[in-house]
């Protein structure tokens, strides 16, 4: 289902007519560059040369204000993050402690320092314990997020024993970066009721003893249900975290995000509605309601309220497989991980997935399926083919989200079926070394997230960060897709799959808009579209590709409203090495 009619405004925009000048990269094939745009009432009236714009204004008898503040800057369409989880990312960033292995940007520009060695991670945990105990909270949950033990540069194993060595008198819940696993200390395991009687595929053990690692949401929720990651119910508090998070994304040039799985960890739609009418909330949201928590009637009802600030896009089916680095992605029959670990089953039966998805397909909704392993790709393509035979949907844009291990043969099937995919732009930069040495091996890693092959085969695609997995940061994603260089080692994996600058910029603008069904209103700078821009200090089409991530976002324009960023930076530093 695409949005072919203009969405009603979600807020009142400035009705003043403004002529902006600068170096515009439009992503419009008919007019790739412009020197001027005219903005009025939240939309673009005109793009072209300054002389042409002035002629347009004269012919229309429009009074206007000339604004030259962007002279010398490069203006691109506002960046679109087509797969992330704003509620989860906001709660993580605003309420809980970061324990990841590389730096991130926090609220109000605060640096969230990565801990990639045993020494630094233990020191961080000790500091948290001191604060926790000083506040009189001994025995209450200590919650962290962002962990991936495979990224520890000194080879440290972060399990229940590691956590117990620092904190043994309060339960510890440590969400992994993938959000498909969590690490618990002994007290947390006991309070959550985990035992060796649980399914060994998801409640992990070694040598007859639980490791503290819990996989996938069904079992992770057992800890949440007894107090882990308790973020409360006060909408004012939760709304504040979302506004703070939106400011982070906005400072990085982002104007639209998806909630690609709205309903995790709870239903934020009423809060999203309230925020969408508040100009202080600096993002547009396209929500993908989860199949299961929301039924078809729910989705239809919400869609009636669509505005250009909050709308329903596709629906999301998440209960398929897990993550590659968590060894819970489902592989093709007979395949194992490079280190010998077996493939993991789907979290739902194929028939259950089909029966759950079919009503939405019949109603004309595009479905975005979580998909990491090539075994999952195969099963989901079979399901999509069955749905199309049951009820043909000629313009369907069903999408495989992540789809990192997709094979060439499967991509050929995707072309025939009209299936899109949304590739993980930051996976090789963060987990490239892990994939080469542990998950898929030194050969297969070169074709994970096949950006260039997708372009050559004509598969519509975007690239994404999946925040709260990795930081929303489109210029870093572009850098990742253009270089495929791991930030830990500097190793390059699959140079032949690198995108050009033009392709990468398309992927985070018009390509993302297409996956959302919003290419008529977003993703390029042309008359009739929303006046959403990212204003950059350098031209990404002319900047050396290794420097793309270091381009500073000078300002972000949302519906014609200009926010100039004083200290914004997109730079991602290399992690500490042991």
């Amino acid at each position: 289902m695409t949005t072919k009619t203009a969405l009603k405004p979600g807020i009142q925009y400035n009705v003043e007519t403004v002529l902006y000048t600068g170096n515009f990269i439009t992503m419009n094939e008919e007019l790739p560059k412009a020197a001027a745009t005219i903005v009025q009432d939240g939309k673009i009236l005109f793009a072209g040369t300054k002389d042409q714009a002035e002629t347009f204004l004269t012919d229309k008898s429009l009074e206007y204000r000339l604004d030259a503040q962007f002279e010398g800057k490069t203006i691109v369409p506002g960046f679109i993050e087509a797969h992330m989880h704003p509620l989860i990312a906001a709660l993580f960033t605003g309420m809980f402690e970061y324990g990841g292995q590389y730096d991130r940007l926090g609220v109000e520009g605060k640096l969230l320092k990565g801990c990639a060695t045993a020494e630094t991670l233990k020191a961080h945990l000790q500091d948290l314990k001191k604060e926790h105990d000083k506040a009189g909270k001994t025995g209450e949950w200590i919650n962290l997020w962002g962990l991936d033990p495979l990224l520890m540069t000194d080879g440290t194993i972060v399990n229940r024993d590691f956590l117990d060595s620092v904190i043994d008198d309060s339960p510890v819940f440590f969400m992994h970066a993938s959000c498909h696993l969590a690490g618990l200390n002994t007290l947390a395991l006991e309070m959550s009721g985990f035992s060796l009687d649980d399914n060994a595929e998801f409640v992990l053990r070694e040598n007859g003893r639980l490791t503290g690692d819990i996989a996938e949401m069904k079992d992770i929720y057992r800890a949440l249900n007894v107090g882990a990651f308790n973020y409360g119910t006060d909408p004012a508090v939760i709304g504040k975290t979302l506004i703070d998070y939106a400011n982070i994304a906005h400072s990085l040039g982002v104007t639209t995000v998806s909630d690609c799985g709205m309903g995790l960890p709870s239903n934020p739609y009423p809060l999203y509605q309230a925020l969408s009418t508040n100009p202080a909330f600096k993002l547009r949201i396209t929500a993908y309601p989860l199949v299961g928590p929301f039924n078809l009637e729910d989705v239809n009802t919400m869609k009636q309220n669509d505005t250009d600030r909050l709308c329903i896009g596709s629906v999301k089916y998440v209960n398929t497989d897990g993550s590659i680095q968590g060894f819970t992605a489902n592989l093709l029959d007979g395949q194992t991980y490079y280190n010998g670990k077996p493939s993991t089953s789907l979290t739902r039966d194929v028939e259950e997935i089909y029966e759950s998805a079919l009503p939405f397909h019949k109603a004309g909704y595009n479905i975005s399926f979580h998909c990491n392993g090539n075994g999952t790709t195969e099963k989901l393509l079979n399901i999509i083919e069955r749905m199309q035979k049951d009820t043909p949907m000629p313009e369907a844009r069903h999408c495989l989200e992540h789809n990192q291990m997709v094979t060439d043969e499967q991509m050929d099937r995707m072309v025939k079926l009209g299936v899109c995919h949304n590739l993980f732009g930051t996976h090789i930069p963060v987990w490239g070394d892990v994939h080469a040495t542990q998950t898929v091996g030194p050969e297969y890693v070169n074709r994970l997230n096949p950006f260039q092959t997708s372009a050559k085969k004509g598969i519509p695609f975007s690239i994404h960060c999946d925040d709260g997995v990795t930081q929303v940061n489109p210029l870093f994603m572009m850098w990742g897709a253009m270089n495929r260089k791991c930030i830990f080692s500097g190793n390059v994996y699959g140079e032949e799959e690198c995108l050009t600058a033009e392709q990468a910029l398309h992927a985070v603008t018009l390509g993302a808009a297409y996956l959302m069904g919003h290419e008529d209103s977003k993703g390029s700078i042309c008359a009739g579209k929303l006046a959403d821009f990212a204003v950059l200090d350098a031209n990404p089409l002319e900047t050396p590709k290794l420097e793309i991530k270091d381009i500073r976002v000078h300002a972000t324009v949302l519906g014609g409203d200009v926010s100039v960023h004083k200290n914004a930076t997109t730079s991602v530093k290399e992690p500490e090495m042991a």
Side-chain angles (χ1 to χ4, degrees):
M1 181 177 290
T2 59
T3 306
K4 294 300 183 186
T5 56
L7 294 170
K8 62 184 179 183
I11 60 173
Q12 183 174 345
Y13 296 106
N14 188 349
V15 297
E16 181 186 24
T17 304
V18 183
L19 169 58
Y20 291 102
T21 56
N23 174 31
F24 291 85
I25 300 174
T26 67
M27 304 310 295
N28 175 8
E29 290 184 353
E30 296 180 2
L31 183 71
K33 295 181 180 180
T37 62
I38 302 170
V39 173
Q40 181 193 72
D41 201 19
K43 290 189 175 182
I44 301 164
L45 292 184
F46 180 87
T49 68
K50 185 171 180 287
D51 288 344
Q52 289 171 336
E54 289 173 338
T55 300
F56 175 90
L57 290 163
T58 300
D59 290 346
K60 298 291 184 180
S61 301
L62 290 173
E63 294 185 4
Y64 69 95
R65 174 172 61 85
L66 175 63
D67 192 325
Q69 66 173 305
F70 302 146
E71 286 286 347
K73 306 294 183 183
T74 296
I75 304 99
V76 300
F79 295 132
I80 300 173
E81 172 51 66
H83 181 126
M84 65 163 294
H85 307 278
L87 177 60
I88 292 174
L91 293 174
F92 282 2
T93 307
M95 289 191 176
F96 304 119
E97 296 293 337
Y98 181 61
Q101 283 54 70
Y102 55 93
D103 297 351
R104 280 184 60 121
L105 188 63
V107 175
E108 296 181 350
K110 178 183 177 182
L111 178 67
L112 304 180
K113 188 67 178 173
C115 302
T117 65
E119 179 182 2
T120 55
L121 184 54
K122 280 191 174 183
H124 183 44
L125 291 171
Q126 287 166 351
D127 288 343
L128 293 179
K129 176 175 168 51
K130 288 178 183 178
E131 294 177 11
H132 190 70
D133 293 345
K134 186 177 180 180
K137 295 183 178 181
T138 303
E140 298 180 20
W141 286 88
I142 294 177
N143 301 294
L144 299 97
W145 60 282
L147 174 69
D148 195 318
L150 298 179
L151 298 180
M152 296 293 285
T153 58
D154 59 0
T156 295
I157 298 173
V158 183
N159 56 17
R160 67 187 281 188
D161 295 326
F162 180 93
L163 297 175
D164 285 345
S165 71
V166 185
I167 305 171
D168 62 2
D169 54 357
S170 291
V172 175
F173 179 92
F174 207 154
M175 182 69 85
H176 280 219
S178 70
C179 295
H180 288 277
L181 290 104
L184 280 65
N185 69 351
T186 297
L187 186 54
L189 288 170
E190 293 172 351
M191 291 178 64
S192 305
F194 291 111
S195 73
L196 292 171
D197 294 331
D198 291 314
N199 187 340
E201 199 167 19
F202 301 107
V203 180
L204 308 186
R205 70 279 317 269
E206 191 173 290
N207 299 323
R209 182 171 177 267
L210 298 185
T211 64
D213 292 325
I214 310 300
E216 300 309 323
M217 295 312 298
K218 179 180 178 181
D219 285 299
I220 288 174
Y221 260 94
R222 291 168 61 182
L224 272 57
N225 290 337
V226 294
F229 260 40
N230 183 0
Y231 55 88
T233 58
D234 187 340
V237 173
I238 299 170
K240 174 68 164 54
T241 68
L242 279 160
I243 289 174
D244 287 343
Y245 179 81
N247 287 337
I248 297 172
H250 194 68
S251 74
L252 298 171
V254 179
T255 54
T256 295
V257 300
S258 70
D259 186 336
C260 197
M262 187 179 75
L264 278 176
S266 58
N267 178 16
Y269 185 72
L271 183 54
Y272 285 172
Q273 283 186 296
L275 289 171
S276 71
T277 63
N278 182 354
F281 184 70
K282 300 289 189 179
L283 288 175
R284 306 183 193 275
I285 295 180
T286 299
Y288 292 24
L290 279 175
V291 174
F294 298 97
N295 60 33
L296 181 58
E297 183 179 355
D298 296 331
V299 176
N300 285 335
T301 299
M302 289 186 290
K303 192 161 185 61
Q304 292 175 5
N305 302 317
D306 279 0
T307 72
D308 64 8
R309 296 261 298 177
L310 172 64
C311 63
I312 301 300
S314 303
V315 296
K316 175 72 177 292
Y317 195 95
V318 71
N319 294 311
T320 56
D321 68 350
S323 71
I324 302 170
Q325 71 274 23
F327 302 98
T328 54
N330 178 255
L331 309 181
L332 285 168
D333 291 347
Q335 290 187 357
T336 63
Y337 288 96
Y338 183 68
N339 64 0
K341 288 191 176 185
S343 173
T344 304
S345 305
L346 296 182
T347 61
R348 294 291 188 276
D349 179 78
V350 167
E351 286 302 314
E352 182 180 348
I353 298 172
Y354 175 77
E355 293 297 334
S356 298
L358 185 60
F360 292 93
H361 171 85
K362 286 184 172 181
Y365 284 97
N366 292 315
I367 305 167
S368 281
F369 294 91
H370 173 88
C371 173
N372 266 312
N374 50 20
T376 309
T377 302
E378 192 72 14
K379 296 174 179 68
L380 291 175
L381 290 177
N382 291 341
I383 287 171
I384 292 169
E385 188 172 27
R386 285 177 62 190
M387 290 194 302
Q388 287 286 36
K389 287 181 178 178
D390 180 283
T391 306
M393 184 177 168
E395 296 184 3
R397 297 181 190 178
H398 297 317
C399 185
L400 301 185
E401 300 288 338
H402 313 314
N403 206 27
Q404 299 190 76
M405 295 183 67
V406 62
T407 68
D408 283 348
E409 294 76 15
Q410 289 169 339
M411 282 190 280
D412 290 337
R413 284 190 71 192
M414 290 174 63
V415 172
K416 293 178 181 178
L417 291 169
V419 176
C420 312
H421 60 187
N422 196 349
L423 299 171
F424 214 136
T426 53
H427 229 266
I428 291 296
V430 176
W431 285 282
D433 294 340
V434 169
H435 292 319
T437 60
Q438 298 192 54
T439 65
V440 300
E443 294 184 11
Y444 208 121
V445 67
N446 292 317
R447 62 174 323 283
L448 285 182
N449 292 289
F451 307 124
Q452 192 57 245
T453 300
S454 300
K456 289 178 178 178
K457 288 182 180 291
I459 298 172
F461 73 97
S462 177
I463 55 178
H464 66 269
C465 71
D466 201 12
D467 208 359
V469 177
T470 67
Q471 175 92 57
V472 60
N473 190 336
L475 287 164
F476 179 66
M477 284 198 299
M478 287 178 61
W479 177 88
M482 291 167 63
N483 294 281
R484 294 178 65 97
K485 180 179 179 180
C486 183
I487 62 174
F488 287 86
S489 65
N491 292 335
V492 174
Y493 297 106
E495 191 166 5
E496 65 278 5
E497 289 293 349
C498 289
L499 294 179
T500 65
E502 291 84 353
Q503 290 171 325
L505 183 58
H506 183 277
V508 297
T509 54
L510 196 55
Y514 181 88
L515 294 195
M516 290 180 169
H518 291 169
E519 72 276 12
D520 62 314
S521 61
K522 303 172 187 173
S524 62
I525 298 173
C526 58
K529 291 197 174 187
L530 295 165
D532 295 352
F533 313 131
V535 184
L536 310 179
D537 276 351
N539 186 335
L541 304 188
E542 298 175 356
T543 300
K545 69 176 189 175
L546 284 173
E547 299 174 15
I548 291 292
K549 64 181 175 64
D550 300 317
I551 294 176
R552 182 178 175 273
V553 179
H554 170 77
T556 306
V557 182
L558 181 65
D561 181 53
V562 179
S563 299
V564 177
H565 312 305
K566 294 181 179 179
N567 301 309
T569 177
T570 63
S571 182
V572 177
K573 296 181 180 179
E574 293 185 2
E576 63 197 89
M577 303 301 288

